[in-house]
Amino acid sequence: MTKLAPIRAILRPLDLAQHLFEVELALPAEAVASGAVAALPAWTPGSYLVRDYARFVDRVRILEGRKERSLEKLDKQRWQLPASARDLTVKYRVYGNDLTVRTNHLDATHAQIIPAATFLYLEGQLDRPVEVRFEGFPAGWKVASALPQKQGAHLAKDVDTLVDSPFELGAFRTRSFKAGGTAFELVFTGAHNGDEGRMAEATRKIVEAAGAIFGGFPFKRYVFFFTFTPKLRGGLEHKDCTSLIADSHAFDKPEGYYALFQLVAHEFFHAWNVKRLHDPVLGPFDYSRENPTKMLWFHEGLTSYMEHVIVLRAGVVPWSHTAKELAKCWSEQVQRPGRLEQSLEESSWDAWIRFYKQHEFSPNSSISYYEKGEMVAWLMDAALREGSRGKAGLADLFALLWTRHGEHGLTDADVRRAFEALSGMDSAPFWNAYISGRAELDPTPLRRAFGLEMEARAPWESLPPEEAKDPAALRRAKAWTGLVFAPNGPTIQNVIPDSPAAKAGLSFGMEILAVDGWRTSTAADAQRALAEPGPGAKATVLASDRGRVFEVLVPVVENPGRAHRLVPDPRTGAAQRAAFAASYGQPYPAAPVKRGGRR
C-alpha cells in the first residue's frame, strides 16, 4: 500500500485578546493533482448536534507558491480547490471564544483547540495523515495532546484520529501515573478551590476500577484534560483522551468532588462504550451531516449508570451520595410528562433535532436518553442479577460485549444476545417495555435483586414536624396547579399537560402579575400565592401575554408530585446483599436511623 503524503498544518495566534488564530494547511501535490474539495466538519463526534463550525471561519485563501489562486465556496462549509501539479497552501482565520468541550476557546491565558472546529479536510481523503505544529504562541506555553510527537509535530494517522484529538496550550499543570502498563496524564487548566492531588488519586482509582471490568486498557497512553471555569460542567469523550470542564468554585464541599469524579468515570468509560464498542454508524463518520442512531440510550444512558458503578467500586464516592442521585433521577423520570410520548430508541434517533434543540414543550413531549437510559440501565442490572442468580450484572454485560466484539462494531441485536446469554431470559419483554416501548419504570426488580426499596413521599409528608402540625402549611404543601416557573421571575416556563393551569388556558412565556389581588414579582411569590387557597379552591390569576393583560380562574388540586428515597429493604436476604456487593463493590448499606416513626 502506497504511503500517503501528509497534510501539514500550522496554527498561529493572530490576536489572543480577540480570540483569533490562523490555520495554514500545506496540501501535497498528490492530494490536489485533480482538484479537491476542502470541507470543515459540521459537528464533532460525541456531541450530536450540527454546530456549523464554518461560521467561525473567514479570510479563506489559497496559494500556489506565492501566487494566489481562485477559490470557489460551494456551500456553507465546502470550498473547491483548483487542480495543481504543485503543493497548495490554504490559509484562513478562525474565531474561538466559546469555552465548552465542543468548541474553540483561546485568550491570553490558554488555547483550547477542537479539531472539528479548526481543520479543513479533503473529501474522499480521510485516510490521509496530518501533521500539526504550533508557532508564535506566548513563550512558556506548552502543548498537550494525545497524539504522538515527532520533531515538534503532532502526528495524526488520518483525519478521524485528528478530529478525535483536542489540543490544550498554555502554562497548565500536569500530573501522571501508570496503571496496567498504560501511562495516564492529567492536564489542569484554570484556577479552582480544589485539591489536585485528591483529583489525581481519585482518577487513578477510577481508571483501575474501569480497567478491571475489561481486563486492561486498549491504549498505552491516555490524557485527561481538566478545565476549570465558573458555573460550567461537561465532558466529551475521545478514543485516547477526554475533555472535562468543572466549576472553579465547586470544591468547598464533598459533593463538588463527587460530581467531578462521576464525570471522570463517565467520560473514561466511553473509551470502551462508544469509542470502541459502538454502532457502526458512529465511525467512520460523515462529518458533513447528522449521523443518527437508535443506540444512544446504550452508549450514553448505560454509561450514565456505569459512572455510579465505577466510582462506588473505586471507593471515591459513598453509597449515601449515589443513593440520593439515583433516587432524584428516578423521581424526575417517573414524573416527566414526556415519558409517555417518546421511547429511548426514539429519543436516541431524534437527538440531533430534539434533545440538543429543546423548546418550551420538550419536557412534555420527550425524554433524555441520558437520564431515562440511566434508570433503564439500573433495571437492566437488576434483571441480569435476577436472571443469573446474582452471578452477572451490567458490568459483566460490557465485559462480554468487549470479548465478543471489541472494536468491530456493535448492534442492538448483539446487546440483546449478550443480555440473554447472561440472564438466561428472553430479551424481548425488557426491550419492548423500556427500549422501544414507553412502559412506566417499575422499582420492584430493584428490591428483588438488590434489596433496595424506592420510597415515595408526598411534599406534605416531608414537612418539618412543626410545620406538619400547622393546617395552613399543610394546605399549601398539598396545593398544585401544574405551573412551572422560570428562575428569573414569575414567567411560566412550562405547563403540565391536562393540569388545572393548562385547562385554564395559561401557557409558556406568560407572566403572572397577581394572584387573588396580591402582586407577584418573583416566581416564589407566584408559587406561594397559588398555593394559598389549597386543594379544592380556585385562584384568581392576573396574567400578561405579549403585553395583553387578562384574568383567569385556576382550580387548585392536590399535588401529585412525589419525591423518592432509596432505602434498604428490611426483608433483604443474603442473596440480595451479595448481588449488591457484586454490582457496586461495597457492602450492603445499613438501614437509616428511624425518625418520627419513619425510616
Side-chain angles (χ1 to χ4, degrees):
M1 182 177 178
T2 304
K3 186 176 180 181
L4 297 174
I7 294 172
R8 292 183 170 88
I10 300 175
L11 274 64
R12 302 182 182 93
L14 294 176
D15 189 330
L16 292 175
Q18 296 298 313
H19 318 289
L20 295 169
F21 65 99
E22 179 186 67
V23 179
E24 177 183 306
L25 302 177
L27 309 177
E30 68 177 58
V32 294
S34 302
V37 173
L40 191 71
W43 66 289
T44 191
S47 183
Y48 307 103
L49 174 68
V50 170
R51 297 185 180 275
D52 290 331
Y53 290 123
R55 62 198 170 103
F56 299 114
V57 171
D58 64 6
R59 294 185 179 177
V60 183
R61 60 196 184 104
I62 187 166
L63 301 170
E64 186 179 51
R66 295 183 178 181
K67 178 184 177 182
E68 187 159 345
R69 297 286 302 269
S70 61
L71 187 68
E72 179 186 3
K73 191 169 186 180
L74 300 175
D75 54 34
K76 64 181 180 180
Q77 62 202 27
R78 299 163 68 240
W79 291 262
Q80 178 66 55
L81 307 182
S84 176
R86 301 174 59 188
D87 291 0
L88 292 179
T89 300
V90 177
K91 292 186 177 183
Y92 51 94
R93 183 174 68 173
V94 181
Y95 176 71
N97 187 30
D98 190 9
L99 185 53
T100 75
V101 292
R102 305 167 295 272
T103 46
N104 287 326
H105 184 269
L106 72 162
D107 58 20
T109 66
H110 88 125
Q112 175 185 270
I113 304 299
I114 303 300
T118 302
F119 297 102
L120 296 177
Y121 64 92
L122 300 181
E123 290 187 348
Q125 301 188 45
L126 292 180
D127 54 348
R128 185 172 296 279
V130 183
E131 298 178 2
V132 180
R133 286 180 168 82
F134 298 89
E135 294 182 355
F137 285 88
W141 278 25
K142 301 170 287 186
V143 180
S145 170
L147 293 174
Q149 278 187 269
K150 185 177 180 180
Q151 297 178 343
H154 296 267
L155 311 178
K157 66 178 182 179
D158 51 34
V159 172
D160 288 325
T161 302
L162 176 64
V163 170
D164 203 34
S165 305
F167 298 90
E168 178 67 28
L169 286 74
F172 48 75
R173 307 167 300 278
T174 60
R175 290 177 182 260
S176 63
F177 61 84
K178 286 191 175 182
T182 293
F184 292 90
E185 299 171 24
L186 287 68
V187 175
F188 296 97
T189 297
H192 59 82
N193 64 348
D195 179 347
E196 290 179 2
R198 179 177 177 182
M199 295 173 191
E201 179 61 13
T203 299
R204 182 187 64 77
K205 292 178 178 178
I206 287 166
V207 159
E208 291 175 347
I213 293 172
F214 298 99
F217 307 106
F219 36 71
K220 290 297 182 183
R221 178 172 173 261
Y222 189 94
V223 183
F224 290 92
F225 293 98
F226 291 86
T227 299
F228 299 93
T229 193
K231 299 180 181 179
L232 287 183
R233 181 180 186 272
L236 189 64
E237 69 276 3
H238 302 284
K239 206 167 187 180
D240 297 322
C241 64
T242 186
S243 299
L244 310 162
I245 288 184
D247 185 350
S248 299
H249 308 297
F251 306 103
D252 57 346
K253 52 188 176 181
E255 288 76 12
Y257 284 100
Y258 300 158
L260 178 63
F261 299 160
Q262 287 173 209
L263 182 63
V264 170
H266 183 107
E267 302 305 335
F268 186 62
F269 195 73
H270 275 316
W272 291 272
N273 186 18
V274 91
K275 295 312 300 183
R276 289 173 171 83
L277 283 168
H278 63 76
D279 184 340
V281 170
L282 299 178
F285 300 100
D286 180 347
Y287 295 109
S288 70
R289 58 180 294 277
E290 297 91 340
N291 291 221
T293 168
K294 291 183 178 180
M295 289 188 67
L296 292 183
W297 65 268
F298 176 83
H299 292 314
E300 293 292 356
L302 269 60
T303 298
S304 292
Y305 173 72
M306 287 302 298
E307 75 182 52
H308 295 297
V309 172
I310 291 168
V311 296
L312 288 169
R313 290 186 175 190
V316 296
V317 174
W319 169 253
S320 58
H321 177 78
T322 300
K324 290 177 183 177
E325 293 268 298
L326 292 173
K328 179 183 177 183
C329 188
W330 186 276
S331 295
E332 293 168 349
Q333 298 312 303
V334 299
Q335 294 172 109
R336 184 181 175 100
R339 74 191 188 283
L340 305 176
E341 304 289 339
Q342 191 181 49
S343 70
L344 278 175
E345 284 187 338
E346 292 167 337
S347 176
S348 299
W349 187 260
D350 283 342
W352 298 84
I353 59 170
R354 296 187 69 181
F355 181 76
Y356 282 97
K357 293 184 177 181
Q358 298 200 24
H359 47 73
E360 297 91 340
F361 195 66
S362 292
N364 305 329
S365 62
S366 65
I367 59 169
S368 164
Y369 53 80
Y370 280 92
E371 294 167 353
K372 179 67 176 290
E374 179 182 336
M375 296 296 95
V376 169
W378 194 11
L379 294 178
M380 187 180 289
D381 195 6
L384 288 164
R385 288 293 172 193
E386 274 199 277
S388 67
R389 297 187 179 182
K391 295 178 181 178
L394 196 62
D396 302 284
L397 177 79
F398 278 105
L400 179 59
L401 290 171
W402 181 244
T403 299
R404 287 182 172 183
H405 303 284
E407 302 188 40
H408 304 298
L410 186 73
T411 67
D412 180 76
D414 296 328
V415 179
R416 293 179 68 150
R417 281 191 287 269
F419 175 89
E420 291 173 349
L422 293 176
S423 69
M425 300 186 298
D426 181 6
S427 62
F430 191 95
W431 257 250
N432 292 342
Y434 296 124
I435 310 302
S436 58
R438 307 180 187 93
E440 295 280 21
L441 295 175
D442 178 8
T444 306
L446 304 177
R447 177 177 53 78
R448 292 199 306 255
F450 300 122
L452 299 174
E453 189 174 16
M454 194 66 72
E455 183 184 85
R457 305 183 76 181
W460 57 92
E461 293 178 314
S462 299
L463 290 173
E466 290 306 313
E467 286 189 45
K469 296 175 184 177
D470 180 356
L474 200 60
R475 180 182 72 246
R476 287 190 291 269
K478 289 185 176 182
W480 184 78
T481 61
L483 287 179
V484 179
F485 289 95
N488 58 348
T491 302
I492 298 173
Q493 179 172 287
N494 189 23
V495 184
I496 304 301
D498 299 321
S499 66
K503 293 175 182 177
L506 294 175
S507 189
F508 317 102
M510 293 180 179
E511 184 182 1
I512 304 303
L513 302 175
V515 177
D516 290 334
W518 290 98
R519 180 74 172 95
T520 52
S521 58
T522 67
D525 289 344
Q527 289 284 28
R528 271 194 304 269
L530 287 166
E532 189 60 39
K538 292 184 178 180
T540 301
V541 174
L542 185 67
S544 171
D545 181 21
R546 293 176 294 172
R548 173 179 164 268
V549 176
F550 64 97
E551 192 173 86
V552 65
L553 285 176
V554 180
V556 181
V557 301
E558 185 172 286
N559 194 335
R562 296 294 183 269
H564 293 82
R565 188 170 69 140
L566 198 58
V567 297
D569 183 351
R571 298 163 290 180
T572 296
Q576 289 105 328
R577 293 171 183 268
F580 181 96
S583 274
Y584 304 120
Q586 295 198 6
Y588 185 77
V593 177
K594 292 184 178 181
R595 184 176 61 183
R598 295 182 182 275
R599 278 177 303 184

